[in-house]
């Protein structure tokens, strides 16, 4: 792998330690970005996040990172991978909150909603589920069909443009579990908690950056 | 399709695991991170750590072992036992725990659920509920099984989820340690009362018991002694569950192992 630097956006809303650990395991250098200078030096950016949409957006706005992050991703084409809430923040808005999202993907976030007589589908959607990637996507290279990833979320991204959907999963309905528009990627699951295939996905992302 | 979760539970006292994994592992049985790694390799879908230290020493010893477990694991884990404030919960998640479980302190002050959910998100807040069967239902018991509360279990799980708990870890104290099966009636009642995932705990002795818990509506099955003493291996449990048509993640799932559903 070409020597590149991955910045993990540290805005008080994610389990940044686990991501750094897994990058370390695949021999990838990473730095926590709590100040803009790390984002300036980064070859690619991971945007993690857990919790509520408005808290995530609020923390991102308060972090002092948003301006640099936006310029690096939108003007300079630096690849970014949003994870879990980080993926949802890429959307325009969410039913969960009132703050606007980053709007880098033309999408909204909707809550899973099942009829009361449906005793099978609990919310949050929590546990290991399969992702069916669009064929030929480098982010999912080397994954067998039915590869399982760890999910924990109540809201999911709904894309306006089907061309942005990179992968889907089944939970009472077919929902979008991975997105991509140009250099902006997002996954609803936690690669850093998904063992072998999670590790492979992060490696694929990092390798894609070098190319 | 979402797979059902098998969740070993480890009791930790003063930074050491109290029960080991099988007798051959006993000499290593002290280190939470080591045992966590063994269970991860065997195919555990998640882990739960219950800190049973005296409250005076708990917080200081916990920092170290939670951080080293987080360092070791690539699957999610929950930490519970004596968490009584939002600050403690936030600290544990910052150290790498994916979820925290609240029990006694939340019964005394139910706002704790909403405070933790606001900071960490509902998905990170587990309501651990220990119950005993009574003539007219189930009663919530706190302080590690010592203190009856008079609270009805079904009313309590509804309140806990309304306030922000994203999962229920439901332990039948009548069945705990008996290996005589989960309390199926309790599971059915709680699963009907809430819309969040329910983890069955207390009574696992055989694969049939685990299958019963899933059929009753549980999303996960927690077990301690059957795994610690080697009565059952996680891999064989999953194979047997798959044979019964229950979707599970293939065992032996270390970073170099499998990570697929059983076909």
């Amino acid at each position: 792998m070409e020597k590149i630097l991955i910045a993990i956006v540290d805005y008080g809303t994610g389990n940044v330690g686990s991501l750094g650990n897994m990058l370390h395991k695949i021999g990838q250098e990473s730095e926590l970005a709590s100040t803009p200078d790390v984002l300036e030096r980064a070859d690619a950016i991971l945007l993690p996040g857990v919790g509520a949409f408005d808290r995530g957006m609020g923390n991102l706005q308060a972090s002092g990172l948003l301006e640099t992050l936006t310029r690096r991703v939108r003007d300079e084409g630096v690849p970014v991978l949003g994870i879990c809430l980080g993926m949802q923040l890429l959307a325009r808005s969410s039913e969960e909150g009132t703050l606007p999202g980053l709007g880098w993907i033309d999408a909204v976030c909707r809550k899973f909603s099942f009829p009361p007589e449906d005793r099978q589908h609990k919310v949050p959607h929590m546990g290991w589920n399969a992702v069916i990637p669009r064929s030929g996507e480098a982010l999912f290279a080397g994954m067998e069909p039915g590869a399982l990833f760890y999910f924990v979320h109540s809201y999911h991204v709904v894309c306006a443009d089907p061309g942005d959907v990179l992968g889907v999963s089944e939970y009472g309905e077919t929902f979008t579990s991975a997105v991509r528009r140009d250099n902006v990627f997002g996954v609803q699951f936690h690669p850093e908690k998904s063992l072998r295939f999670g590790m492979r996905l992060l490696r694929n992302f990092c390798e894609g950056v070098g190319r | 399709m979402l797979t059902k979760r098998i969740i070993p539970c480890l009791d930790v006292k003063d930074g050491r695991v109290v029960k080991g994994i099988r007798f051959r592992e006993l000499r290593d049985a002290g280190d939470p991170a080591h045992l966590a790694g063994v269970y991860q390799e065997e195919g555990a879908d998640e882990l739960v750590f219950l800190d049973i230290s005296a409250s005076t020493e708990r917080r200081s010893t916990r920092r170290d072992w939670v951080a080293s477990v987080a360092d070791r694991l690539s699957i999610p884990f929950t930490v519970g036992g004596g968490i009584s404030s939002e600050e403690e919960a936030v600290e544990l998640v910052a150290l790498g725990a994916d979820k925290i479980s609240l029990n006694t302190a939340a019964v005394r002050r139910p706002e704790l659920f909403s405070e933790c959910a606001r900071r960490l998100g509902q998905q990170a807040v587990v309501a651990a509920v220990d119950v005993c069967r009574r003539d007219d239902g189930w009663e919530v018991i706190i302080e590690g099984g010592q203190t009856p509360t008079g609270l009805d279990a079904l009313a309590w799980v509804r309140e806990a989820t309304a306030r922000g708990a994203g999962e229920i870890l439901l332990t039948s104290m009548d069945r705990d340690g008996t290996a005589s099966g989960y309390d199926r009636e309790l599971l059915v009642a709680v699963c009907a009362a809430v819309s969040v995932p329910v983890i069955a705990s207390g009574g696992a002795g055989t694969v049939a018991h685990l299958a019963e818990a899933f059929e009753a509506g549980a999303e996960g099955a927690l077990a301690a002694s059957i795994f610690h003493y080697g009565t059952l291996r996680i891999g064989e449990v999953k194979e047997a569950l798959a044979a019964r048509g229950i979707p599970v993640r293939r065992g032996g799932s270390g970073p170099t192992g499998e990570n697929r559903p059983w076909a």
Side-chain angles (χ1 to χ4, degrees):
Chain A
M1 203 182 300
E2 204 177 314
K3 202 151 176 76
I4 57 166
L5 175 67
I6 304 283
I8 303 171
V9 184
D10 185 7
Y11 61 115
T13 319
N15 193 339
V16 292
S18 313
L19 259 179
N21 280 343
M22 197 165 249
L23 289 172
H24 181 74
K25 282 176 196 160
I26 61 171
Q28 173 59 54
E29 208 176 310
S30 69
E31 262 185 66
L32 292 185
S34 50
T35 52
D37 62 296
V38 183
L39 294 177
E40 295 287 4
R41 289 185 282 116
D43 298 293
I45 297 167
L46 298 181
L47 179 63
V50 294
F53 191 88
D54 277 2
R55 188 174 175 83
M57 272 318 292
N59 282 2
L60 197 52
Q61 283 161 359
S63 69
L65 298 167
L66 189 51
E67 196 184 322
T68 311
L69 178 67
T70 305
R71 174 171 47 74
R72 292 290 281 150
V73 172
R74 302 296 277 172
D75 302 340
E76 297 167 28
V78 172
V80 65
L81 173 65
I83 295 169
C84 195
L85 177 67
M87 169 188 181
Q88 297 179 10
L89 297 182
L90 303 175
R92 293 189 183 284
S93 66
S94 173
E95 284 181 356
E96 190 182 15
T98 55
L99 290 178
L102 294 167
W104 299 346
I105 301 277
D106 187 5
V108 295
C109 304
R110 296 206 191 289
K111 190 167 190 179
F112 280 116
S113 176
F114 304 109
E117 63 272 19
D118 182 347
R119 294 252 146 256
Q120 254 185 33
H121 296 98
K122 312 286 185 165
V123 182
H125 169 227
M126 200 183 286
W128 298 79
N129 203 340
V131 175
I132 304 146
R134 203 162 61 184
S135 69
E137 280 301 336
L139 193 63
F140 287 90
M143 315 260 177
E144 296 137 55
L148 293 172
F149 295 89
Y150 189 83
F151 287 83
V152 49
H153 62 123
S154 300
Y155 294 79
H156 61 95
V157 165
V158 180
C159 289
D161 181 352
D164 294 343
V165 177
L166 193 67
V168 297
S169 299
E170 294 289 335
Y171 192 60
E173 57 182 292
T174 302
F175 74 94
T176 297
S177 50
V179 293
R180 176 186 185 176
R181 183 161 195 93
D182 304 324
N183 58 323
V184 177
F185 297 77
V187 292
Q188 183 58 64
F189 48 86
H190 287 270
E192 78 281 14
K193 293 285 171 183
S194 298
L195 295 169
R196 184 167 69 106
F197 289 125
M199 203 178 272
R200 179 64 194 259
L201 183 132
L202 288 174
R203 181 179 286 145
N204 288 346
F205 178 72
C206 296
E207 282 175 355
V209 172
R211 266 182 230 123
Chain B
M1 182 193 263
L2 184 64
T3 55
K4 299 291 186 181
R5 290 175 272 158
I6 300 293
I7 307 170
C9 176
L10 298 162
D11 287 351
V12 179
K13 189 168 191 292
D14 305 327
R16 308 291 286 175
V17 172
V18 178
K19 296 174 193 161
I21 302 178
R22 293 180 302 281
F23 296 110
R24 67 175 173 81
E25 291 284 351
L26 270 181
R27 62 174 174 273
D28 295 318
D31 180 38
H34 169 77
L35 296 189
V38 172
Y39 278 135
Q40 170 174 293
E41 294 302 311
E42 288 196 357
D45 295 305
E46 270 183 47
L47 292 174
V48 168
F49 293 90
L50 190 61
D51 196 329
I52 56 169
S53 314
S55 55
T56 42
E57 291 112 57
R58 189 188 301 123
R59 202 167 167 178
S60 56
T61 57
R62 198 164 53 192
R63 281 192 195 99
D64 292 337
W65 68 258
V66 171
S68 68
V69 166
D71 204 44
R72 179 68 171 261
L73 281 188
S74 300
I75 58 171
F77 70 101
T78 302
V79 176
I83 298 170
S84 60
S85 70
E86 179 189 339
E87 290 68 36
E88 270 182 276
V90 168
E91 179 183 69
L92 287 167
V93 169
L95 287 167
D98 296 278
K99 301 185 243 182
I100 51 96
S101 78
L102 302 173
N103 193 336
T104 300
V107 169
R108 297 222 173 91
R109 213 173 61 80
E111 302 80 42
L112 193 54
F113 285 122
S114 39
E115 291 161 5
C116 291
R118 204 163 45 232
R119 283 290 290 280
L120 303 168
Q122 183 203 12
Q123 84 295 329
V125 181
V126 181
V129 182
D130 300 340
V131 307
C132 274
R133 197 178 259 272
R134 301 287 182 245
D135 292 339
D136 54 349
W138 295 270
E139 181 182 6
V140 176
I141 314 288
I142 56 171
E143 296 182 316
Q146 312 265 318
T147 312
T149 61
L151 274 174
D152 172 64
L154 300 183
W156 175 238
V157 294
R158 283 193 198 100
E159 176 171 2
T161 52
R163 286 182 182 273
E167 188 168 66
I168 306 287
L169 171 50
L170 180 66
T171 302
S172 161
M173 297 199 45
D174 309 302
R175 300 298 178 90
D176 201 34
T178 65
S180 63
Y182 297 101
D183 184 337
R184 187 189 156 83
E185 219 178 304
L186 168 69
L187 271 171
V188 169
V190 169
C191 290
V194 298
S195 61
V196 302
V198 175
I199 307 303
S201 160
T206 66
V207 170
H209 294 153
L210 296 161
E212 247 171 47
F214 295 131
E215 283 152 12
E219 282 298 320
L222 183 130
S225 30
I226 54 167
F227 295 137
H228 296 322
Y229 298 120
T231 318
L232 291 170
R233 305 287 295 255
I234 297 171
E236 65 180 332
V237 165
K238 288 192 165 183
E239 196 168 355
L241 289 172
R244 289 167 174 258
I246 294 168
V248 287
R249 190 174 61 94
R250 186 171 284 190
S253 335
T256 54
E258 301 297 329
N259 199 13
R260 286 174 294 160
W262 291 92

